[in-house]
Amino acid sequence: MAKSPPVREIRLNAFDMACVGHIQHGMWTHPRDQSPDYTSLDHWVSLARLLERGLFDGLFLADILGVYDVLEGSPGPSLRASVQIPLLDPMALVPAMAHATSHLGFGVTCNLAYEPPYLFARRMATMDHLTGGRIGWNIVTGYLDSAARAMGLREQMAHDDRYDLAEEYMRVVYALWEGGWRDDAVVRDRARRVYTEPSRVRPIRHEGKQYRLDALPLWEPSPQRTPVLYQAGASDRGRIFAARHAECVFVNGTNLGHAAQVTADLRARAGSRPIQIFAGATVVTARTEAEARDRLEEYRRHTDVEGALAHAAASLGIDFARFDMDEPIDASESQAIQSNVESIAASLGSGWTKRMLIDRFILGSRQTPIVGSPSQVADALQRWVAEADVDGFNLSRTVIPECLEDFTDLIVPELQGRGAFKTAYSLGTYREKLFHAGDRLPADHPAARERWGES
Amino acid sequence: MAKSPPVREIRLNAFDMACVGHIQHGMWTHPRDQSPDYTSLDHWVSLARLLERGLFDGLFLADILGVYDVLEGSPGPSLRASVQIPLLDPMALVPAMAHATSHLGFGVTCNLAYEPPYLFARRMATMDHLTGGRIGWNIVTGYLDSAARAMGLREQMAHDDRYDLAEEYMRVVYALWEGGWRDDAVVRDRARRVYTEPSRVRPIRHEGKQYRLDALPLWEPSPQRTPVLYQAGASDRGRIFAARHAECVFVNGTNLGHAAQVTADLRARAGSRPIQIFAGATVVTARTEAEARDRLEEYRRHTDVEGALAHAAASLGIDFARFDMDEPIDASESQAIQSNVESIAASLGSGWTKRMLIDRFILGSRQTPIVGSPSQVADALQRWVAEADVDGFNLSRTVIPECLEDFTDLIVPELQGRGAFKTAYSLGTYREKLFHAGDRLPADHPAARERWGES
């Protein structure tokens, strides 16, 4: 009898942001949507508890440091539709959520371009301590001119320069996390009155093109030392960076065929180093297909096309106000996220127009939702895993929290019944849970070179 | 019948830091001390709940960005005794504590020298939202060369240059907090699908000597907009800054007479603007004087003289290893915190020596504890309020949490019985509770000039 192939276990993150409108714009106008409570810790703690009930691997938190002002050359459309503005600092949400949970991981987006590496490294090490080793970092270098102007620059650096800066930054923070304190430095010897053995701590010295420092890391080693590293850049330079540094990669989920190409390329570049790849996804489900379609129609009445267009304009670097509805759009000059530009062309064809884009805004973004009964949704997710070779999904929210309650109550059991989702958390840190290996980065990762006594 | 003067209500902060040894060094070696649990959120959440039970106004969190390496020109003594190293980022503790409490305020020390004002302003606004208006900021400009080297500078800026930078920084963050969004900007109009009225939001533009920006604040107005402002600089320039900006000032509590001079000077400079002044204090108490003295002796056995000396060396900018025990110490060249230098000279006399300093290290610092029965401690605190004209105290920890449990169970009721401490929290934000006025800074504060439509 032929043995059937093993069912692949799906990884699951909720994808969220400390704002009202994240991906699916307009949903906040739905009477049951609670996203305007984003300034309340209760809102986030309830979310974290729900995710842990659903055995989600993590909560992935996006961030930006500027406003989307490409459409009409103005922040107006984004402000009206609450397209990622107003927006709070995502890191501040984590400690309260961590205290209310035991297993959920947190992948937090932080732009490395504007904060001294020493300060940032202490902040992440603090989060790793306080969460008991459940913190991850989504490494971004930024792409918004508006953010650069907020930080005192005329405009953002050119794309490849940002990655040069990022390479140097990573080397410095790896050294600070991995190379300053030996694992046996803290002895907490009450009798001898020695908390730390000074001979087991050393300063980190770095003289580079962008950064210079000579400093003892202030913090003792945290459970993971270096946080779990996420990355989402899908340009050529972004993929080189991801293949070198990232443990988890977030890929655009707009087009399966395009995602499959990106995934194959990333895995080839990473070689033997295991990486976990998450695709963006939006799910609308109910007990039956008919109910799910009714729910979609109910949600659709709240879609904000102007908001979706404002978001797409900034992501693609195109002011759609300058184009007629049926005029082919040339995005070759765009300085924005290249993966978005490629992905939209893969979906709509090279001569795509504003009308074609707007027709894709089913729920307020260009990410088409997966709609159906639990078995239909599970089929679709498993198809993505099989055909695009992704490990899991970053689930965007629609109407919150009911979209995650539905997923937890309907899709999780369906996937568990198929052997495609865990039935309990495994022990250990975020990194251990994801890779079933150690707390720390493996020896072939560039961070390992910064360890004391290794080179 | 002559009417007795009204009893002055005392303000109370716990003074802590995200580390093992904060002020009273060596206490961590006491078997009941739990300070080595500082990496655990449970530790901080328990502390916050205890403080709220004791009706403390706030938790004041110190911070430094470098290591104390003045003694012997080495970080060794600080590492051995855990003198503020290892140390985590204090801000990360607040969200979990805020979620577990309803009234406690949080005064967090942040150095403004190394973080872009836009990033920092968003971080504080986020904290103000998440705490429901319970955040304060202790404004520091730093004084450690080791911190400057961690950030990529050869050494720290000169003292007065730091205050020039601080003045400009304050102007920028005030504009970001007070001047970007009108109070009526966020309308959350579901029917019209308008979250924010764009005409009620404007970018902040600043072109200064140190900072330049042109950016819309990303966040909507938080309950207090500008956090409650703390300051602790007691140099001439520091007092000018405090009189202009600070709502609360933290003064050295080593010497009552010196504190009285500083307080009188600060109040004269602030003029009609009310400021609340907190003196540092350490209390050891028990039901009776004899028990309190026994407890002091028990704690004293854990005093770490080398740790206290390492801390004093950095605070005073003097490497005591270079002095004989009885050699008069000349601190006139010191670039360190001037209030510390003045305060120690006020206590020990101008020809003070290392031996005289060490003799003051009763519990591991130069701050002499107030020791006694509840009525004796209350007498001493009220004497400070009456004679040094302080509003309250920043209470350093000895053996944690029992020192705060003792204070809550013994001193708080004693003070309440005298009408010198509140018996319930009043309503409102941190600022409202402290000043019994509005959520926002008053119209005569420099921040008010940055408000939209006011100049």
Side-chain angles (χ1 to χ4, degrees), chain A residues 295-345:
Chain A
R295 176 151 281 191
L296 177 72
E297 285 316 303
E298 182 198 332
Y299 288 2
R300 279 194 86 161
R301 289 196 290 275
H302 297 274
T303 293
D304 192 319
V305 170
E306 189 192 35
L309 206 58
H311 192 171
S315 301
L316 301 167
I318 300 162
D319 179 4
F320 293 107
R322 294 205 221 147
F323 291 85
D324 291 332
M325 286 297 272
D326 297 304
E327 187 184 348
I329 288 168
D330 176 11
S332 60
E333 299 292 299
S334 168
Q335 282 284 314
I337 300 180
Q338 292 187 27
S339 57
N340 292 331
V341 177
E342 287 168 20
S343 170
I344 203 79

Side-chain angles (χ1 to χ4, degrees), chain B residues 201-437:
Chain B
V201 179
R202 62 173 189 179
I204 300 304
R205 297 196 173 96
H206 174 89
E207 291 264 353
K209 201 174 151 194
Q210 302 279 353
Y211 301 104
R212 180 176 70 186
L213 81 162
D214 178 359
L216 214 62
L218 279 169
W219 56 96
E220 60 182 292
S222 67
Q224 302 183 117
R225 285 190 178 251
T226 297
V228 169
L229 299 172
Y230 274 86
Q231 217 260 348
S235 66
D236 186 59
R237 190 68 201 271
R239 291 184 207 180
I240 293 170
F241 186 91
R244 188 170 146 74
H245 298 281
E247 303 174 82
C248 301
V249 183
F250 177 25
V251 300
N252 194 303
T254 309
N255 181 280
L256 194 153
H258 180 69
Q261 285 171 30
V262 172
T263 297
D265 181 62
L266 279 167
R267 294 203 194 277
R269 290 176 196 249
S272 61
R273 203 167 69 72
I275 52 172
Q276 300 217 350
I277 301 179
F278 293 77
T282 304
V283 167
V284 177
T285 193
R287 283 178 203 288
T288 66
E289 180 180 356
E291 283 175 57
R293 302 229 158 262
D294 286 350
R295 177 151 279 195
L296 177 72
E297 286 316 304
E298 182 197 332
Y299 288 2
R300 278 194 87 161
R301 289 197 290 275
H302 296 274
T303 292
D304 191 318
V305 169
E306 188 193 35
L309 207 58
H311 192 170
S315 301
L316 300 167
I318 300 162
D319 179 4
F320 292 107
R322 296 206 217 145
F323 292 84
D324 290 334
M325 286 297 272
D326 297 303
E327 186 183 350
I329 287 170
D330 176 11
S332 61
E333 299 292 300
S334 168
Q335 281 285 314
I337 299 180
Q338 293 188 27
S339 57
N340 292 332
V341 176
E342 287 168 19
S343 170
I344 204 81
S347 292
L348 301 179
S350 59
W352 62 281
T353 65
K354 181 155 78 172
R355 189 186 305 279
M356 291 161 74
L357 181 67
I358 288 174
D359 285 347
R360 284 289 175 114
F361 292 161
I362 308 296
L363 278 185
S365 87
R366 61 194 187 281
Q367 184 171 81
T368 304
I370 298 168
V371 183
S373 68
S375 75
Q376 289 171 315
V377 171
D379 286 348
L381 295 176
Q382 286 189 297
R383 185 176 157 231
W384 265 82
V385 170
E387 296 181 18
D389 191 21
V390 299
D391 298 279
F393 301 92
N394 273 0
L395 266 194
S396 292
R397 55 176 157 91
T398 55
V399 171
I400 192 90
E402 74 178 36
C403 62
L404 287 166
E405 288 165 353
D406 289 343
F407 198 97
T408 293
D409 295 334
L410 300 174
I411 309 299
V412 165
E414 175 70 29
L415 291 172
Q416 286 171 327
R418 299 176 182 205
F421 196 67
K422 62 184 164 308
T423 54
Y425 284 108
S426 56
L427 294 178
T429 60
Y430 194 19
R431 177 171 289 120
E432 269 187 287
K433 283 187 172 75
L434 285 172
F435 292 94
H436 301 302

Side-chain angles (χ1 to χ4, degrees), chain A residues 20 27-36 38-42 44-45 49 63-67 75-77 79-82 84-96 98-100 111 114-116 118-119 122-123 125-127 129-131 146-147 149-154 181 186 188-191 193-198 201 207 212-220 300-305, chain B residues 20 27-36 38-42 44-45 49 63-67 75-77 79-82 84-96 98-100 111 114-116 118-119 122-123 125-127 129-131 146-147 149-154 181 186 188-191 193-198 201 207 212-220 300-305:
Chain A
V20 179
M27 294 301 109
W28 72 273
T29 63
H30 190 288
R32 291 196 303 275
D33 183 74
Q34 295 176 9
S35 62
Y38 75 102
T39 61
S40 139
L41 283 171
D42 280 341
W44 294 102
V45 167
R49 288 186 174 134
D63 193 30
I64 52 171
L65 297 178
V67 61
L79 284 162
R80 271 193 296 278
S82 69
Q84 304 189 358
I85 186 169
L87 171 66
L88 301 180
D89 183 342
M91 192 74 95
L93 309 175
V94 173
H99 189 249
N111 187 322
Y114 307 115
E115 193 172 358
Y118 188 85
L119 273 186
R122 187 177 70 143
R123 207 136 66 86
T126 298
M127 298 307 300
H129 274 296
L130 297 181
T131 62
S146 58
R149 286 194 305 271
M151 304 305 157
L153 309 170
R154 292 275 176 230
W181 294 56
V186 173
R188 285 189 200 91
D189 186 333
R190 282 180 146 123
R193 300 192 183 190
V194 176
Y195 193 86
T196 300
E197 289 287 0
V201 179
E207 292 264 353
R212 180 176 68 187
L213 81 163
D214 177 359
L216 214 61
L218 278 169
W219 57 94
E220 60 183 291
R300 279 194 86 161
R301 289 196 290 275
H302 297 274
T303 293
D304 192 319
V305 170
Chain B
V20 179
M27 293 301 109
W28 73 273
T29 63
H30 190 289
R32 291 194 302 275
D33 183 74
Q34 294 175 12
S35 63
Y38 76 102
T39 60
S40 138
L41 282 171
D42 281 341
W44 295 101
V45 167
R49 288 186 173 134
D63 193 30
I64 50 170
L65 297 179
V67 62
L79 284 162
R80 270 192 297 276
S82 68
Q84 304 188 359
I85 186 169
L87 171 66
L88 301 180
D89 182 343
M91 191 72 95
L93 309 175
V94 172
H99 189 249
N111 187 322
Y114 307 114
E115 193 173 359
Y118 187 86
L119 272 187
R122 186 177 70 144
R123 208 135 67 86
T126 298
M127 299 306 299
H129 274 296
L130 297 181
T131 62
S146 58
R149 286 195 304 272
M151 304 305 158
L153 309 169
R154 292 276 175 231
W181 294 57
V186 173
R188 285 189 201 91
D189 186 334
R190 283 181 145 122
R193 300 193 183 189
V194 176
Y195 194 87
T196 301
E197 288 287 0
V201 179
E207 291 264 353
R212 180 176 70 186
L213 81 162
D214 178 359
L216 214 62
L218 279 169
W219 56 96
E220 60 182 292
R300 278 194 87 161
R301 289 197 290 275
H302 296 274
T303 292
D304 191 318
V305 169

Side-chain angles (χ1 to χ4, degrees), chain A residues 100-122:
Chain A
T101 55
S102 306
H103 296 286
L104 187 68
F106 301 94
V108 185
T109 301
C110 299
N111 187 322
L112 54 72
Y114 307 115
E115 193 172 358
Y118 188 85
L119 273 186
F120 175 71
R122 187 177 70 143

